[in-house]
Amino acid sequence: MSGVRARGFHGVFPEERREGQDFIVDVEVQIERQSAEDDLETTVDYGGLAEALVADIEGEPVNLIETLASRLLCTCLAAPPVRAATVHSARNPRHPFGSRLRM
């Protein structure tokens, strides 16, 4: 999934905590399906996963984007039938370093 966007109040700078900022998240999940049936019950609820990622971003503020990425990873891994996940990007487009940095 790419482009999951939500507003959070993460960061170490006072203005980040006070004003908040948009975060954009890209994740990749690998699933283990027990059958090849064309059935929604055998795959990830991507809508539910996206909502859970948004809740993570909008949730308790953290200082480090790495901490937020870890939180997002745990959420992905908790979604059945996900067996592996990668957070490719957890970024905010208006971080204090301008466009010179992408995380």
Side-chain angles (χ1 to χ4, degrees):
M1 293 190 316
S2 64
V4 177
R5 180 185 289 256
R7 190 153 189 87
F9 293 83
H10 312 289
V12 295
F13 299 112
E15 59 273 12
E16 293 175 310
R17 292 294 183 105
R18 184 177 58 250
E19 299 169 15
Q21 53 201 322
D22 289 335
F23 286 84
I24 303 170
V25 173
D26 302 329
V27 300
E28 179 180 345
V29 296
Q30 295 177 12
I31 63 172
E32 185 172 320
R33 294 179 64 197
Q34 299 301 318
S35 75
E37 291 182 43
D38 187 27
D39 182 357
L40 284 174
E41 296 298 318
T42 66
T43 192
V44 176
D45 175 0
Y46 292 101
L49 180 55
E51 288 176 6
L53 295 172
V54 166
D56 285 344
I57 296 168
E58 293 176 343
E60 185 69 29
V62 296
N63 290 325
L64 303 175
I65 200 162
E66 293 87 351
T67 305
L68 177 60
S70 179
R71 180 187 294 173
L72 297 165
L73 179 61
C74 289
T75 295
C76 289
L77 292 173
V82 173
R83 66 176 181 85
T86 304
V87 176
H88 287 289
S89 182
R91 64 195 183 279
N92 68 55
R94 298 187 61 192
H95 54 75
F97 301 109
S99 61
R100 296 175 290 162
L101 179 65
R102 180 179 165 135
M103 300 184 82

